[in-house]
């Protein structure tokens, strides 16, 4: 079973717009990570936020974490066509080191 | 640094056969994890190895097994293949474990069972 649920399942935007996707999870976590996957290829790590952090930035990415609501959001600002991919949140539960539990992912399409 | 490599990249097998997939982690990484990705079930954790020991295991039948060698390279084996085993199998390595460090994924092995 999957730990996280991403919302929306799919997102279509134009270049230059911002893209926001949300992730909810069920159990206590050590950290939450966001990954990107281009069309059936390997996953690329984007950002990791620890359970004691509330917000983190990396380039055009902004991640928030609300442990009281068991939710996280990923914001991609000024999107580009190259951002077209599936985005997954993954959690490391407190009782399972070394085990990433992935959500179903959000498919993002950025049109020029 | 070279990334995570997986071999083979594509594989076609027949029901009932067995298969072995290989993963070479990034140099210096001691933790290797395996995941199965299917359209229906998404990304599911198979197992994680650290210093040649299986440290975590997902909810997969005993037909799925793995091992890690002293150089951190890892193999996973699936015996008595079923049609439902068709999937993208991803391997990921990390320096210590995924608590503190992100995981670096390989390109995956696409397994098709006919």
């Amino acid at each position: 079973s999957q730990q996280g649920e991403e919302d929306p399942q799919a997102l279509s935007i134009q270049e230059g717009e911002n893209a926001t996707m949300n992730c909810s999870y069920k159990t206590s976590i050590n950290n939450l990570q966001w990954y990107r996957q281009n069309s059936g290829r390997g996953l690329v790590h984007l950002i990791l936020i620890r359970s004691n952090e509330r917000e983190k930035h990396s380039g055009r990415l902004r991640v928030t974490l609300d442990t009281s609501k068991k939710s996280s959001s990923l914001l991609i600002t000024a999107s580009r066509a190259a951002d077209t991919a599936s985005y997954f949140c993954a959690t490391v539960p407190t009782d399972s080191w070394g085990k990433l539990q992935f959500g179903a992912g959000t498919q993002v399409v950025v049109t020029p | 640094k070279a990334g995570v490599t997986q071999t083979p990249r594509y594989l076609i097998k027949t029901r009932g056969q067995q298969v072995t997939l290989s993963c070479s982690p990034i140099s210096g990484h001691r933790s290797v994890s395996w995941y199965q990705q299917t359209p229906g079930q998404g990304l599911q954790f198979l197992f994680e190895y650290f210093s040649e020991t299986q440290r975590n295991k997902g909810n997969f039948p005993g037909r799925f097994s793995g091992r890690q060698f002293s150089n951190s390279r890892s193999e996973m084996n699936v015996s008595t293949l079923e049609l439902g085993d068709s999937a993208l199998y991803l391997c990921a390595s990390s320096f210590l474990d995924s608590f503190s460090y992100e995981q670096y994924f390989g390109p995956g092995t696409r397994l098709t069972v006919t």
Side-chain angles (χ1 to χ4, degrees):
Chain A
S1 63
Q2 292 175 336
Q3 157 83 311
E5 296 284 339
E6 276 102 335
D7 171 60
Q9 289 186 320
L11 184 58
S12 183
I13 55 175
Q14 292 193 312
E15 271 192 326
E17 294 182 335
N18 295 342
T20 301
M21 57 210 87
N22 303 295
C23 167
S24 59
Y25 56 92
K26 297 171 187 170
T27 62
S28 296
I29 60 172
N30 285 313
N31 67 65
L32 185 145
Q33 303 174 33
W34 286 90
Y35 288 82
R36 183 186 74 223
Q37 184 178 39
N38 290 88
S39 191
R41 300 177 69 177
L43 280 78
V44 174
H45 180 269
L46 295 176
I47 199 164
L48 180 153
I49 185 166
R50 293 187 169 80
S51 58
N52 61 352
E53 296 175 312
R54 291 296 166 258
E55 188 171 312
K56 207 160 183 181
H57 296 256
S58 176
R60 294 183 295 111
L61 306 179
R62 172 178 169 257
V63 168
T64 63
L65 179 64
D66 187 335
T67 53
S68 66
K69 294 181 180 177
K70 292 188 169 58
S71 68
S72 173
S73 68
L74 170 66
L75 167 69
I76 305 173
T77 60
S79 61
R80 305 167 182 167
D83 294 329
T84 294
S86 291
Y87 292 82
F88 295 89
C89 69
T91 55
V92 178
T94 51
D95 60 351
S96 296
W97 287 46
K99 178 179 178 177
L100 279 177
Q101 293 189 320
F102 284 87
T106 293
Q107 195 168 7
V108 175
V109 174
V110 182
T111 53
Chain B
K1 257 187 187 177
V4 177
T5 58
Q6 291 187 245
T7 57
R9 292 291 311 279
Y10 302 92
L11 205 50
I12 299 175
K13 288 286 193 178
T14 304
R15 267 184 304 176
Q17 289 185 315
Q18 76 164 13
V19 66
T20 298
L21 311 181
S22 181
C23 171
S24 292
I26 290 172
S27 178
H29 285 193
R30 294 162 63 189
S31 169
V32 174
S33 300
W34 288 89
Y35 298 85
Q36 181 198 64
Q37 186 177 28
T38 60
Q41 298 297 317
L43 278 153
Q44 295 189 90
F45 172 81
L46 280 156
F47 26 67
E48 185 232 1
Y49 286 87
F50 181 81
S51 293
E52 301 179 67
T53 301
Q54 186 181 87
R55 204 161 56 162
N56 271 293
K57 190 176 188 307
N59 297 323
F60 278 81
R63 301 185 297 106
F64 291 82
S65 62
R67 58 178 175 168
Q68 186 180 33
F69 302 95
S70 58
N71 61 358
S72 293
R73 191 177 69 84
S74 177
E75 288 181 347
M76 69 162 279
N77 184 275
V78 188
S79 62
T80 320
L81 284 165
E82 300 176 0
L83 293 179
D85 297 333
S86 294
L88 181 66
Y89 289 88
L90 294 162
C91 159
S93 74
S94 61
F95 177 66
L96 188 61
D97 59 53
S98 59
F99 172 67
S100 298
Y101 300 93
E102 62 267 25
Q103 295 193 348
Y104 294 85
F105 281 79
T109 293
R110 173 79 59 185
L111 172 65
T112 302
V113 182
T114 61

